[in-house]
Amino acid sequence: MNTASKLSWKIIFRMAWRNLWRNHRRSLIMLSAIALGVWGMIWMTALMRGMVDQMIDNSIKTLSGHIQIHAAGYLDDPSVEHLIPPVNESPALQALLDSNDVTAWSQRIRVPAVIRSEREVYAVTLVGIDPARERGLSFIEESVSDGVYITSVDDKRLLVGRKLLDRLETKLNRRVVMMSQDPDNNIAERGFRIGGVFDTDPQATETSYVFGGLETVRKMLNLGTGISEISLLGHDYRQLDELKKKTQSAAMENADVKTWAEQDPYMGTMLNVMDGFILIWFAIIFLALSFGLVNTLLMAVFERTREIGLVQALGMKSSNILFMVLIESIIMLMIGLAAGNLLSWLTILPVQEGIDISGVADGLEWAGMSSTLLPALLARDVLTANAVVLVLGIFASLVPAWRASRKVPIEAITRVWQ
């Protein structure tokens, strides 16, 4: 019984393979359509995923991190009146930040300020940083293009953006004056020399922030030991619920703990919209493919009406005919998927270092995009695209397969179509 069953499946597969190539032109057109459809799914998804990931990465690197800790009320009023104790005064928080759950962290002073050159005055955010801790956490060090990065928390030089340098009409190593407000509501000001210049995307960041040594800024503002924020990175920007709970438990009383998505609702919404867009995009492409697939199989069945009636008259079961047509569909889908995946890989491989979109960068700067688009090819997106085409393709093939298996032998032989 087993031997007969194996032989039967071999015969059914061989017949399905031969039937598939009876009309080479039609089969090749359908295979091309499937391959192009899969390529369109994966290529467009990689571009959109890369765009959103890049926007989120830029947002995270622009000082937000994955999670931030502030004093209650700081986000509504980012002044020196809303400070939190430094990390070394909270043993529980220090232990969490030094654990394997956190890959990088830093504490900062961040206040509104005014920078004045010999020619211009501009409103900025003054950020006092620990330069060693910022490595791997924010964009600051890797974006320095002229001069030097801040060397220590006591460094008395400033790091400014190139666009801000142009607006102030000054140069590297020139002196500027920083002005802000201390806890007693007095004007705090100090002269600094510009020690470094940074370039980054989006360029709005270059005019928004000025960086100095943490202790130097603290002394300028007479802050004592207080800090404005603690920023930290986990392992995955999508999976932060558990880390947020741990941070909330370890943080000082009444601290405001927020994830990057809570701090930037626009970017958090973009991530959710992207996941939904992928499924909608896959469904649209498959609907276009399904019409061609069903039509191809129906035509193939129609052309073999007499043959199907003959094999039924010779004793072939209706279920075997149904499986034969389904196997034709599966073979076509598998070949098309393989070709589409290969085409997608060959398309993405040459541009994995990025696609230059500097021609439209100014128009996209509002969205937080840079001048280079990096396609992001995720295994789960590829698997989802293949699964959608294969599973739904098989379901779409049930219609022509069922029609073929339902033929009455004598009517099929005389080509009577029901």
Side-chain angles (χ1 to χ4, degrees):
M1 181 68 179
N2 289 337
T3 303
S5 177
K6 291 179 181 179
L7 181 60
S8 176
W9 278 109
K10 288 181 180 179
I11 293 174
I12 292 173
F13 182 85
R14 186 178 302 172
M15 291 177 65
W17 177 259
R18 289 180 176 177
N19 290 334
L20 182 64
W21 299 109
R22 282 186 173 185
N23 191 320
H24 291 78
R25 179 180 298 178
R26 185 171 60 216
S27 296
L28 289 175
I29 290 174
M30 193 60 226
L31 287 172
S32 299
I34 295 173
L36 289 175
V38 173
W39 170 81
M41 288 180 177
I42 297 175
W43 171 244
M44 184 60 70
T45 300
L47 290 180
M48 294 297 295
R49 183 76 72 184
M51 182 185 71
V52 173
D53 285 354
Q54 192 170 1
M55 292 165 62
I56 293 174
D57 186 61
N58 286 342
S59 176
I60 290 173
K61 284 189 174 181
T62 307
L63 305 187
S64 76
H66 288 166
I67 293 177
Q68 279 195 352
I69 306 172
H70 300 99
Y74 173 84
L75 293 177
D76 295 325
D77 179 20
S79 67
V80 292
E81 297 178 1
H82 299 99
L83 300 178
I84 55 178
V87 173
N88 58 13
E89 294 185 12
S90 175
L93 182 58
Q94 182 77 68
L96 173 65
L97 296 177
D98 291 338
S99 71
N100 293 329
D101 292 328
V102 177
T103 60
W105 66 272
S106 184
Q107 52 190 2
R108 310 182 184 112
I109 295 172
R110 182 170 6 177
V111 294
V114 171
I115 184 170
R116 185 180 69 202
S117 69
E118 63 272 22
R119 296 178 181 274
E120 297 289 340
V121 178
Y122 205 82
V124 295
T125 298
L126 175 62
V127 185
I129 63 172
D130 181 338
R133 289 247 169 235
E134 293 293 333
R135 293 189 177 100
L137 176 64
S138 64
F139 73 95
I140 305 172
E141 183 183 25
E142 63 187 29
S143 64
V144 176
S145 55
D146 286 329
V148 296
Y149 180 53
I150 295 172
T151 57
S152 69
V153 293
D154 296 309
D155 197 328
K156 295 178 173 56
R157 295 169 295 180
L158 292 180
L159 182 63
V160 303
R162 185 169 301 281
K163 203 167 184 179
L164 178 60
L165 204 67
D166 295 337
R167 293 189 178 182
L168 292 174
E169 299 182 25
T170 187
K171 298 179 180 179
L172 185 67
N173 295 321
R174 292 280 185 86
R175 292 186 65 83
V176 293
V177 175
M178 292 298 309
M179 293 183 295
S180 189
Q181 195 174 42
D182 68 14
D184 297 324
N185 295 323
N186 297 318
I187 296 297
E189 64 177 350
R190 176 174 177 156
F192 290 88
R193 192 173 297 278
I194 299 174
V197 181
F198 66 88
D199 293 273
T200 188
D201 290 318
Q203 290 188 345
T205 304
E206 296 179 12
T207 59
S208 301
Y209 297 103
V210 172
F211 301 100
L214 181 66
E215 292 301 325
T216 301
V217 173
R218 176 181 281 122
K219 291 176 183 177
M220 168 189 162
L221 299 173
N222 300 315
L223 294 184
T225 60
I227 57 173
S228 301
E229 67 186 23
I230 300 169
S231 180
L232 58 101
L233 285 180
H235 293 279
D236 185 354
Y237 71 81
R238 290 173 175 267
Q239 307 294 330
L240 294 175
D241 291 342
E242 187 63 28
L243 181 57
K244 181 184 176 181
K245 290 179 182 178
K246 292 181 179 180
T247 305
Q248 190 77 64
S249 299
M252 56 291 299
E253 188 176 357
N254 296 325
D256 187 11
V257 179
K258 291 186 179 297
T259 65
W260 65 270
E262 293 170 329
Q263 296 176 72
D264 191 348
Y266 169 75
M267 293 308 304
T269 302
M270 281 291 293
L271 183 62
N272 295 329
V273 169
M274 180 61 198
D275 291 337
F277 169 81
I278 289 175
L279 294 178
I280 294 173
W281 174 246
F282 287 174
I284 291 173
I285 294 293
F286 175 77
L287 284 175
L289 289 177
S290 63
F291 287 109
L293 180 62
V294 172
N295 181 66
T296 297
L297 292 174
L298 281 174
M299 288 302 298
V301 170
F302 180 76
E303 291 175 354
R304 301 199 306 272
T305 300
R306 287 185 176 179
E307 178 184 323
I308 291 173
L310 180 60
V311 295
Q312 281 184 309
L314 293 175
M316 191 173 190
K317 296 180 180 179
S318 296
S319 59
N320 288 340
I321 294 175
L322 185 144
F323 287 133
M324 181 180 67
V325 178
L326 284 179
I327 290 172
E328 288 182 43
S329 173
I330 293 172
I331 292 173
M332 186 178 295
L333 289 169
M334 294 300 291
I335 296 174
L337 286 172
N341 290 328
L342 178 61
L343 183 60
S344 301
W345 182 74
L346 293 175
T347 304
I348 294 174
L349 185 63
V351 296
Q352 60 183 342
E353 298 298 326
I355 302 171
D356 184 12
I357 55 172
S358 55
V360 294
D362 291 341
L364 295 174
E365 187 174 339
W366 65 271
M369 290 184 62
S370 67
S371 59
T372 303
L373 176 60
L374 295 170
L377 182 61
L378 302 185
R380 64 174 182 173
D381 290 337
V382 176
L383 292 175
T384 301
N386 282 264
V388 166
V389 173
L390 185 59
V391 174
L392 297 185
I394 292 174
F395 277 107
S397 304
L398 287 174
V399 174
W402 181 82
R403 292 291 297 271
S405 66
R406 296 294 295 174
K407 292 183 180 300
V408 178
I410 187 63
E411 294 179 350
I413 292 173
T414 57
R415 297 183 62 89
V416 176
W417 180 265
Q418 291 184 340

